[in-house]
């Protein structure tokens, strides 16, 4: 059978791959199974504990209600009228809607008043709640089936004392168990948070159901009898946090005992139950996942082993084809280097060679583009300088002949032409490491005012409102020409970002602790997405149809030369805020 190389490779590959995979898979499944089972058990007990806390809070609140009744001054009076007592008890029941009613007895157990007027005058001294209460203790009864009302009841009782501290009667409100049942019913929905459709029930020390989603079971069925349990076994399950598997109901159960407290000394146990099938669904799903994974791996191994022999020659053919395609200038994908050692080295060398050639080609193209762009920019700047020089000359003549000297904009025009001429010179030399700045103490607020004057005529035409919020800032030593260029670039960008008009807020702040001046340019324009923000300051990157991207690049460089930084906060459709952070410098 295994005489051919093909069959031997197939059997050998299957053996060396499947045996470890089966072993590792089994160990891994058992570990996951144990961990998942422990987690499910913990979730079930967590639900049980949480619900027990809610019931304990329920009991504590009822005890506090009895305390309120005990402290009622009117009930403590020996000579209180029946009408006053009626009014107080009715008021209590109306305010605390959880109670169905309340009765007041004298010290002999005779009912003085009943809010439901059903037992007035009757002797209740034999009731289980009367004796603890008449001896000075607050008492909560066990849930019992009332023979008179033929429904489950839970009664509270507390002694009423007069001003001398003598017990003169007992007050006993009856709880509407529907409120307790609602808490139990809500649990079913909350249990879905841990992916369990569980339900909760409450049993007493005799094993009787005293709360259950199926009301017909309350005080009619016994959990102990159905599951062959007793109180001691239930206590052990609760104390040791052990899961109980009910074979009669096919359920998984977790129990928590309700903590006794003063006034409540009953043995109540909250049970959380879920069907076995649902409880073990995650384990079944885990097993299915492992089986699917095993099947997929087996299929992949078979598919990989079958062409193994042919794959030995295939890499050589791929190398020959790739070499031929590369020589013809076609795009070549990296060759596989996961074959045998000798061919791996050859493929790696070929991949390295092609990558280096591609990178050199990119660098050459980039260099040619930058060279062409530089030559174009230099020629363009040179051509601009000539007419600027001529304009300045004519303006100089007009100035000497005192033409337009009474116009306030004439000195600004003259000043701006000098600045443009200087910017042209600086632009040509800015890339040099030793750029020369003409640093002087500068008031940035004044520079902003001067720059805004340049845009004064544009803003109304473009329906843009300028809002200045310039706080006093210290002078800092820098070149006003360069910083003015930064301000102009940012303002112009803001104008371009608001083609339909809007508002531009320019504000300054001084952070004394950091010795830093902050200038904010906040527009209400079209904004930018995160990818655009990341590319800002990149040479020749722009979102404008006729832009070059050099303005922001130069602005970033200027601020960096001043040991500052520019940050951007923007959101598409909501505007952009450029913030300049500049350190305060006191020396040139």
């Amino acid at each position: 059978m295994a005489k051919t190389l093909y069959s031997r490779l197939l059997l050998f590959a299957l053996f060396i791959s499947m045996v470890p995979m089966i072993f590792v898979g089994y160990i891994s499944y058992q570990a996951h199974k144990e961990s998942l089972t422990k987690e499910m058990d913990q979730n079930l007990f967590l639900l049980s504990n949480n619900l027990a806390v809610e019931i304990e809070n329920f009991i504590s609140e009822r005890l506090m209600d009895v305390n309120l009744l005990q402290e009622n001054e009117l009930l403590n009076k020996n000579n209180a009228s029946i009408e006053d007592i009626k009014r107080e008890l009715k008021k209590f029941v109306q305010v605390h809607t959880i109670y169905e009613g309340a009765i007041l007895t004298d010290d002999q157990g005779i009912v003085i008043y009943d809010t439901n007027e059903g037992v007035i005058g009757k002797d209740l001294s034999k009731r289980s709640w009367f004796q603890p209460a008449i001896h000075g203790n607050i008492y909560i009864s066990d849930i019992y089936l009332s023979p008179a009302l033929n429904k489950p009841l839970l009664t509270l009782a507390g002694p009423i004392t007069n001003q001398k501290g003598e017990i003169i009667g007992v007050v006993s409100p009856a709880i509407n168990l529907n409120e307790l049942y609602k808490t139990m019913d809500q649990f079913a929905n909350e249990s879905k948070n841990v992916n369990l459709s569980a339900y909760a029930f409450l049993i007493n020390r005799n094993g009787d159901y005293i709360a259950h989603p199926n009301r017909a079971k309350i005080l009619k069925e016994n959990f102990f009898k159905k599951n062959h349990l007793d109180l001691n076994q239930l206590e052990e399950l609760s104390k040791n946090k052990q899961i109980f598997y009910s074979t009669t109901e096919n359920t998984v159960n977790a129990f928590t005992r309700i903590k006794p407290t003063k006034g409540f000394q009953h043995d109540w146990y909250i049970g959380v139950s879920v069907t076995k099938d649902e409880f073990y669904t995650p384990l079944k799903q885990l097993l299915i996942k492992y089986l699917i994974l095993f099947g997929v791996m087996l299929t992949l191994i078979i598919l990989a082993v079958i062409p193994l022999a042919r794959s030995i020659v295939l890499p050589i053919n791929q190398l020959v084809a790739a070499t031929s395609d590369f020589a013809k200038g076609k795009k070549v994908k990296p060759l596989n280097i996961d074959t045998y050692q000798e061919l791996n080295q050859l493929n790696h060398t070929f991949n390295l060679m092609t990558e280096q050639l591609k990178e050199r080609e990119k660098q050459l193209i980039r260099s040619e583009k930058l060279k062409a762009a530089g030559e174009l920019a230099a020629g363009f700047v040179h051509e601009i300088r000539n007419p600027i020089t001529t304009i300045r000359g004519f303006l100089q003549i007009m100035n000497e002949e005192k033409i337009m000297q009474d116009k306030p904009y004439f000195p600004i025009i003259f000043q701006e032409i000098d600045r443009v001429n200087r910017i042209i010179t600086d632009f040509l030399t800015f890339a040099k490491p030793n750029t020369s700045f003409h640093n002087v103490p500068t008031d940035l607020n004044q520079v902003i005012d001067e720059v805004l004057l340049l845009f004064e005529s544009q803003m109304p035409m473009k329906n843009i409102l300028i809002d200045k919020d310039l706080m006093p800032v210290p002078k800092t030593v820098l070149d006003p020409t360069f910083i003015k260029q930064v301000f102009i670039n940012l303002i112009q960008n803001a104008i371009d970002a608001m083609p339909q008009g809007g508002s531009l807020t320019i504000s300054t702040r001084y952070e004394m602790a950091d010795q830093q001046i902050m200038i904010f340019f906040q527009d209400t324009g079209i904004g930018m997405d995160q990818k655009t923000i990341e590319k800002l300051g990149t040479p020749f990157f722009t979102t404008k149809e006729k832009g070059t991207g050099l303005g922001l690049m130069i602005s970033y460089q200027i601020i960096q030369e001043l040991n500052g930084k520019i940050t951007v906060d923007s959101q598409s459709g909501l505007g952009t805020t450029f913030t300049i952070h500049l350190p305060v410098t006191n020396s040139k």
Side-chain angles (χ1 to χ4, degrees):
M1 175 183 175
K3 292 182 179 180
T4 64
L5 176 62
Y6 176 81
S7 60
R8 290 184 179 183
L9 286 173
L10 178 61
L11 292 175
F12 180 73
L14 287 175
F15 178 78
I16 65 173
S17 59
M18 294 304 300
V19 171
M21 189 171 69
I22 293 174
F23 177 76
V24 172
Y26 176 78
I27 298 299
S28 178
Y29 171 74
Q30 291 298 327
H32 278 81
K33 178 182 178 181
E34 182 179 353
S35 175
L36 188 58
T37 302
K38 184 177 180 180
E39 181 182 351
M40 292 188 298
D41 291 352
Q42 289 175 345
N43 287 339
L44 206 58
F45 275 106
L46 179 62
L47 293 173
S48 175
N49 291 337
N50 290 342
L51 191 54
V53 171
E54 291 188 29
I55 295 176
E56 289 165 6
N57 291 337
F58 178 86
I59 293 171
S60 297
E61 291 171 0
R62 304 292 75 77
L63 292 173
M64 291 173 61
D65 292 341
V66 176
N67 281 330
L68 288 175
L69 280 174
Q70 286 182 292
E71 295 172 0
N72 189 292
E73 295 181 357
L74 186 60
L75 298 182
N76 293 333
K77 290 181 179 179
N78 289 325
N79 57 352
S81 67
I82 295 297
E83 293 301 322
D84 290 338
I85 294 174
K86 287 181 180 180
R87 185 175 61 255
E88 289 301 313
L89 290 181
K90 282 186 177 181
K91 181 180 178 182
F92 174 81
V93 173
Q94 289 172 354
V95 173
H96 301 82
T97 56
I98 194 171
Y99 296 100
E100 290 186 343
I103 62 175
L104 181 67
T105 72
D106 60 16
D107 58 353
Q108 299 300 318
I110 306 300
V111 178
I112 299 173
Y113 177 68
D114 176 12
T115 56
N116 297 320
E117 300 183 354
V119 292
I120 296 177
K122 290 187 177 182
D123 183 1
L124 302 182
S125 60
K126 302 299 183 181
R127 296 291 174 92
S128 61
W129 48 264
F130 181 79
Q131 291 302 321
I134 201 65
H135 286 90
N137 299 313
I138 296 176
Y139 179 78
I140 297 181
S141 73
D142 204 345
I143 295 177
Y144 64 95
L145 188 63
S146 170
L149 302 177
N150 194 29
K151 68 176 184 178
L153 286 182
L154 177 62
T155 305
L156 288 83
I160 300 298
T161 58
N162 59 18
Q163 295 176 349
K164 297 180 180 180
E166 299 171 342
I167 297 177
I168 60 174
V170 173
V171 64
S172 175
I175 298 175
N176 185 345
L177 287 177
N178 287 331
E179 296 298 325
L180 177 61
Y181 295 158
K182 284 181 183 179
T183 301
M184 307 286 288
D185 293 341
Q186 289 173 356
F187 167 79
N189 294 327
E190 295 174 357
S191 66
K192 294 178 181 179
N193 294 331
V194 290
N195 300 321
L196 287 177
S197 296
Y199 67 90
F201 58 90
L202 197 62
I203 59 178
N204 59 20
R205 65 179 291 109
N206 299 320
D208 297 322
Y209 289 110
I210 56 177
H212 195 281
N214 185 355
R215 304 290 188 261
K217 292 186 176 184
I218 298 176
L219 297 174
K220 298 293 179 62
E221 292 189 12
N222 188 281
F223 184 83
F224 288 169
K225 292 180 180 179
K226 291 180 65 175
N227 295 279
H228 308 291
L229 277 177
D230 57 34
L231 182 62
N232 292 332
Q233 291 174 318
L234 183 63
E235 180 64 26
E236 286 297 318
L237 290 172
S238 172
K239 184 183 298 183
N240 299 325
K241 295 189 179 299
Q242 294 177 343
I243 293 294
F244 174 71
Y245 301 95
S246 173
T247 56
T248 57
E249 297 183 337
N250 195 35
T251 56
V252 181
N253 304 270
F255 292 95
T256 300
R257 184 182 180 186
I258 306 301
K259 294 179 181 178
T261 185
K262 185 178 181 181
F264 176 83
Q265 296 295 325
H266 304 294
D267 295 322
W268 285 6
Y269 293 86
I270 188 72
V272 174
S273 182
V274 62
T275 62
K276 280 186 178 180
D277 292 339
E278 182 179 355
F279 187 74
Y280 288 115
T281 295
L283 290 180
K284 294 178 181 178
Q285 293 175 344
L286 178 65
L287 179 59
I288 291 173
K289 288 179 181 179
Y290 269 89
L291 291 176
I292 292 175
L293 179 61
F294 182 82
V296 171
M297 292 297 296
L298 178 60
T299 303
L300 292 176
I301 289 172
I302 293 175
L303 293 176
V305 170
I306 290 175
L308 179 61
R310 289 177 296 173
S311 66
I312 296 176
V313 181
L314 182 61
I316 300 176
N317 294 333
Q318 290 178 339
L319 178 60
V320 173
T323 304
S324 177
D325 290 342
F326 189 75
K328 294 177 182 178
K330 295 181 181 180
K331 187 176 180 180
V332 178
K333 294 182 179 180
L335 293 175
N336 183 19
I337 57 172
D338 192 18
T339 59
Y340 40 90
Q341 182 177 356
E342 293 80 4
L343 193 58
N344 282 347
Q345 185 175 358
L346 186 59
N347 286 348
H348 176 73
T349 303
F350 178 80
N351 290 339
L352 185 60
M353 178 189 68
T354 54
E355 289 298 323
Q356 289 177 346
L357 289 175
K358 289 178 183 178
E359 186 61 30
R360 289 178 184 177
E361 183 180 3
K362 290 180 182 178
Q363 291 178 357
L364 181 60
I365 294 173
R366 189 185 301 115
S367 177
E368 291 297 327
K369 286 183 178 180
L370 290 175
K371 181 179 179 182
E375 292 176 354
L376 178 63
F380 181 70
V381 170
H382 179 71
E383 291 301 323
I384 289 177
R385 170 175 282 174
N386 290 335
I388 289 294
T389 302
T390 303
I391 292 172
R392 190 185 188 287
F394 280 114
L395 288 174
Q396 183 69 33
I397 293 173
M398 294 171 66
N399 183 45
E400 292 175 355
E401 295 179 358
K402 300 183 178 180
I403 300 175
M404 299 179 63
Q405 66 175 2
D406 58 336
K407 302 296 183 180
Y409 296 105
F410 182 76
I412 297 176
I413 294 172
F414 203 89
Q415 178 183 353
E416 289 305 310
I417 288 177
D418 286 342
R419 190 173 65 83
V420 170
N421 196 24
R422 188 170 170 192
I423 289 173
I424 290 172
T425 301
D426 291 336
F427 179 77
L428 293 173
T429 60
F430 194 82
K432 297 180 181 180
N434 297 321
T435 300
S436 177
F437 286 89
H438 304 286
N439 295 332
V440 293
T442 304
D443 185 346
L444 293 177
N445 286 342
Q446 181 179 346
V447 175
I448 292 173
D449 288 333
E450 293 175 1
V451 170
L452 287 177
L453 194 58
L454 301 175
F455 292 92
E456 188 175 36
S457 60
Q458 292 186 41
M459 298 305 181
M461 293 187 296
K462 295 182 179 293
N463 196 26
I464 295 175
L465 177 66
I466 296 293
D467 183 15
K468 291 193 301 181
D469 182 18
L470 306 181
M471 302 296 290
V473 297
K475 288 185 177 182
T476 183
V477 176
L478 49 76
D479 191 325
T481 300
F482 281 110
I483 199 65
K484 186 179 291 187
Q485 181 64 31
V486 173
F487 293 167
I488 291 174
N489 285 337
L490 295 181
I491 293 174
Q492 188 60 54
N493 284 345
I495 294 173
D496 295 339
M498 297 184 287
Q500 304 301 324
S503 65
L504 172 61
T505 302
I506 302 176
S507 55
T508 56
R509 297 288 184 274
Y510 173 52
E511 299 290 341
M512 183 178 296
D514 299 331
Q515 286 291 295
Q516 179 177 255
I517 298 174
M518 302 173 68
I519 308 102
F520 304 89
F521 295 83
Q522 182 179 6
D523 65 59
T524 59
I526 58 177
M528 296 176 287
D529 57 25
Q530 189 60 35
K531 291 183 178 179
T532 302
I533 294 175
E534 292 174 356
K535 293 181 179 180
L536 291 179
T538 302
F540 305 111
F541 171 77
T542 181
T543 57
K544 304 175 187 177
E545 293 183 1
K546 298 182 180 180
T548 64
L550 293 175
L552 269 181
M553 179 197 72
I554 294 174
S555 298
Y556 272 73
Q557 290 179 341
I558 290 174
I559 298 302
Q560 288 176 359
E561 288 290 335
L562 296 173
N563 296 320
K565 65 177 180 178
I566 298 179
T567 58
V568 185
D569 182 17
S570 184
Q571 195 171 354
S572 295
L574 299 179
T576 301
T577 300
F578 280 86
T579 305
I580 299 175
H581 306 258
L582 284 177
V584 176
T585 306
N586 298 320
S587 59
K588 295 185 181 181

